[in-house]
Amino acid sequence: MKLLELLPDEILHSVFTFVANSPCLVGPCLCWSLRHLSKEWRDDLDTGRHDLWALAASDLSSDSYNHDLGHDVASKKATKQRSRKRPALASASNDGSLQKRVQTSQNHSPRRSTRLRPNTPKESYIHAYNLLLSRTESAVLQITEHAHSSTDSLTLSKLKYALIEHGPVAVNQRVRTGGTFLVEVCRARHVSEGTILKCIKLLVEEYGANPNVPSAEFASVKNVSISRPSGNATLKTACSTSTVGNELYPLIIAAARGMPTVVKYLLNNGADESLRGSSRFRLFSNPKKTVRGDGLTALEFAEKMWDEEMRNGVEQQDMKGLQRTLDFLKLKV
């Protein structure tokens, strides 16, 4: 413990960057690992260590999307679409005071109570962390709605718009509902395999999505918070959230659904075929019937889906996608 206290902030940051295994989890990992060691560590983290929290805050942008020309153009389009709606409020009335209030509200940030403002480097980090989580959850929710809609299904342009509209986002962060960007895209219904592949390529190649980050099926959320006095009251500030549940990986979804091009792409981009997951999938031959698997690999899920489809009388020529999926996975084993 004494040795840890003597380490410079830069070295501590490097150590916990390795331990956390995700840029967005460096700050929460510091809380979980060090705050409970002693009262000195708790006070030091809560009120000091300015450089350490500054480094952790800079990590939050490391897990967001990369800016390029394409994103800049799309961002301008999104801004233009939003700006078209704003003048309507001012033009609805000829009152000059109304226009002045609208202009003032657009140029100035909303007022905020001083007792709610971050007072320490750690509180500033927590504020930035929670904003990042909020943006990420909003983007995942919007993508999930498209993924399950039959009338407004997911497209590449809708995915781009959601990421820009809510960005920057933590593309490898599992949100409190248990979902991740890659998993929700792989689960998209009423879309072609080619559309799903284009969306996955965007997330992996331009946003740095990791295919080995699982979602949490049947998720439950655990909130971690800290308390600080404020006048006569005690304020609780959320430090982080952790989601637990049955894990499910993008490769398993693609394998169970018989999407060979998606499976091949994920395998070529670092997906681990030995990872196990649990979920339930609809049969192609009978969508009202589902197949449940617990703790199975992508290959085992694909084989189980094949067996169930054969039992339901599906001909082999109608399962070419699932057959190619099995061939790709067997080559990796």
Side-chain angles (χ1 to χ4, degrees), residues 1-41:
M1 188 181 302
K2 292 294 184 182
L3 179 61
L4 282 174
E5 293 176 356
L6 296 175
L7 291 177
D9 289 342
E10 291 79 3
I11 296 180
L12 270 178
H13 174 260
S14 299
V15 170
F16 281 93
T17 299
F18 174 79
V19 173
N21 198 30
S22 172
C24 291
L25 295 180
V26 174
C29 191
L30 286 167
C31 292
W32 297 332
S33 303
L34 298 181
R35 273 190 99 248
H36 307 292
L37 291 180
S38 66
K39 183 178 182 298
E40 289 76 13
W41 262 115

Side-chain angles (χ1 to χ4, degrees), residues 126-141 166-170 173 175-176 181 241:
I126 292 173
H127 177 69
Y129 177 83
N130 287 333
L131 283 177
L132 180 65
L133 285 188
S134 178
R135 292 194 300 266
T136 302
E137 288 178 0
S138 298
V140 171
L141 178 60
H166 300 285
V169 296
Q173 178 73 21
V175 300
R176 286 178 290 186
F181 286 99
T241 59

Side-chain angles (χ1 to χ4, degrees), residues 151-186:
T151 58
D152 191 21
S153 57
L154 182 68
T155 63
L156 181 61
S157 61
K158 290 175 183 176
L159 175 62
K160 288 181 178 179
Y161 183 83
L163 292 169
I164 295 171
E165 179 76 7
H166 300 285
V169 296
V171 74
N172 290 315
Q173 178 73 21
R174 185 165 65 190
V175 300
R176 286 178 290 186
T177 55
T180 67
F181 286 99
L182 276 181
V183 166
E184 297 305 324
V185 167
C186 286

Side-chain angles (χ1 to χ4, degrees), residues 222-235:
K222 178 182 178 182
N223 293 312
V224 181
S225 61
I226 62 171
S227 301
R228 65 177 176 90
S230 177
N232 297 325
T234 300
L235 297 179

Side-chain angles (χ1 to χ4, degrees), residues 6-248:
L6 296 175
L7 291 177
D9 289 342
E10 291 79 3
I11 296 180
L12 270 178
H13 174 260
S14 299
V15 170
F16 281 93
T17 299
F18 174 79
V19 173
N21 198 30
S22 172
C24 291
L25 295 180
V26 174
C29 191
L30 286 167
C31 292
W32 297 332
S33 303
L34 298 181
R35 273 190 99 248
H36 307 292
L37 291 180
S38 66
K39 183 178 182 298
E40 289 76 13
W41 262 115
R42 183 188 65 192
D43 295 340
D44 196 19
L45 286 175
D46 289 352
T47 59
R49 296 281 179 173
H50 295 68
D51 293 339
L52 181 60
W53 287 115
L55 290 169
S58 66
D59 290 330
L60 295 178
S61 61
S62 301
D63 203 22
S64 59
Y65 61 83
N66 299 319
H67 296 275
D68 57 21
L69 181 60
H71 286 99
D72 291 340
V73 172
S75 180
K76 290 178 181 178
K77 290 181 179 179
T79 303
K80 188 175 181 180
Q81 290 177 0
R82 291 194 301 269
S83 64
R84 288 173 182 170
K85 301 178 182 179
R86 290 176 179 171
L89 179 62
S91 60
S93 172
N94 294 324
D95 186 1
S97 60
L98 175 60
Q99 296 182 5
K100 186 176 182 180
R101 287 198 301 270
V102 171
Q103 184 177 5
T104 303
S105 64
Q106 293 177 354
N107 295 335
H108 298 280
S109 59
R111 296 178 62 185
R112 191 177 180 193
S113 173
T114 55
R115 72 186 184 93
L116 297 178
R117 292 175 185 170
N119 294 327
T120 66
K122 180 180 178 181
E123 290 178 2
S124 298
Y125 171 85
I126 292 173
H127 177 69
Y129 177 83
N130 287 333
L131 283 177
L132 180 65
L133 285 188
S134 178
R135 292 194 300 266
T136 302
E137 288 178 0
S138 298
V140 171
L141 178 60
Q142 183 173 338
I143 292 169
T144 302
E145 290 176 350
H146 290 308
H148 295 279
S149 174
S150 59
T151 58
D152 191 21
S153 57
L154 182 68
T155 63
L156 181 61
S157 61
K158 290 175 183 176
L159 175 62
K160 288 181 178 179
Y161 183 83
L163 292 169
I164 295 171
E165 179 76 7
H166 300 285
V169 296
V171 74
N172 290 315
Q173 178 73 21
R174 185 165 65 190
V175 300
R176 286 178 290 186
T177 55
T180 67
F181 286 99
L182 276 181
V183 166
E184 297 305 324
V185 167
C186 286
R187 299 181 73 167
R189 302 171 60 190
H190 312 291
V191 296
S192 66
E193 182 180 340
T195 299
I196 293 177
L197 180 61
K198 290 178 182 178
C199 292
I200 291 175
K201 284 184 176 181
L202 173 73
L203 291 171
V204 172
E205 296 175 9
E206 298 189 31
Y207 289 74
N210 184 349
N212 295 321
V213 176
S215 68
E217 297 286 286
F218 314 109
S220 61
V221 181
K222 178 182 178 182
N223 293 312
V224 181
S225 61
I226 62 171
S227 301
R228 65 177 176 90
S230 177
N232 297 325
T234 300
L235 297 179
K236 285 193 174 182
T237 308
C239 181
S240 67
T241 59
S242 59
T243 310
V244 294
N246 296 327
E247 292 185 338
L248 182 63

